[in-house]
Amino acid sequence: MPRAERCSSSTSSSRYGAAALEFAVVVKLVRTLMIIPVSVGLAFLQARRRQERSGFSVGRLVRLVPWFLVGFVVLALVNSAGAIPPAVGEVLSRVSGFLVAIALAGIGLSTDLAAIRTAGWRPLVLGGLLSLLVAATTLTSMGFAGCL
């Protein structure tokens, strides 16, 4: 099998069968959905820390949970129920890609260079080292898989 096919994520269906592809999709979705309990847990911890300064309430906890998580869960349930036609799903997928690009541009355009200068070089070095670690891990994994 050619390397390009062997290293393609869609190849797992032809190489290992449809069940392997379905399993891979489920694993990826579970990893993606883990952001929800992690975010809620962090919101709860933040609310507990603030409890000492101002009374803890469920309303405060709800305000700490990002709304995009609620929207994500609702849309995932609607899509899983089959209520979104494939044509609409394709359009929504393209729109979501565009919106992610807009969000990233917004983050970049709102970067405060003065705050970065004030923070100093250490956070930048840490970010660079973490980026190198991620790149090295990815390349090592690809090397073991024979995809380099």
Side-chain angles (χ1 to χ4, degrees), residues 38-60:
V38 168
S39 295
V40 171
L42 289 173
F44 179 74
L45 288 175
Q46 183 68 20
R48 281 188 61 188
R49 285 187 191 139
R50 291 183 180 178
Q51 177 183 6
E52 298 164 1
R53 291 177 274 174
S54 60
F56 173 77
S57 70
V58 175
R60 286 179 189 240

Side-chain angles (χ1 to χ4, degrees), residues 22-106:
E22 288 177 21
F23 183 76
V25 167
V26 169
V27 168
K28 185 171 183 173
L29 288 173
V30 168
R31 284 189 340 214
T32 302
L33 286 173
M34 282 305 295
I35 194 172
I36 295 167
V38 168
S39 295
V40 171
L42 289 173
F44 179 74
L45 288 175
Q46 183 68 20
R48 281 188 61 188
R49 285 187 191 139
R50 291 183 180 178
Q51 177 183 6
E52 298 164 1
R53 291 177 274 174
S54 60
F56 173 77
S57 70
V58 175
R60 286 179 189 240
L61 180 62
V62 169
R63 279 182 268 155
L64 289 172
V65 175
W67 280 102
F68 78 90
L69 290 179
V70 176
F72 179 79
V73 170
V74 169
L75 285 175
L77 291 172
V78 169
N79 189 40
S80 295
I84 299 176
V88 174
E90 186 175 324
V91 170
L92 290 175
S93 178
R94 289 178 190 262
V95 168
S96 71
F98 174 74
L99 292 176
V100 167
I102 294 296
L104 291 174

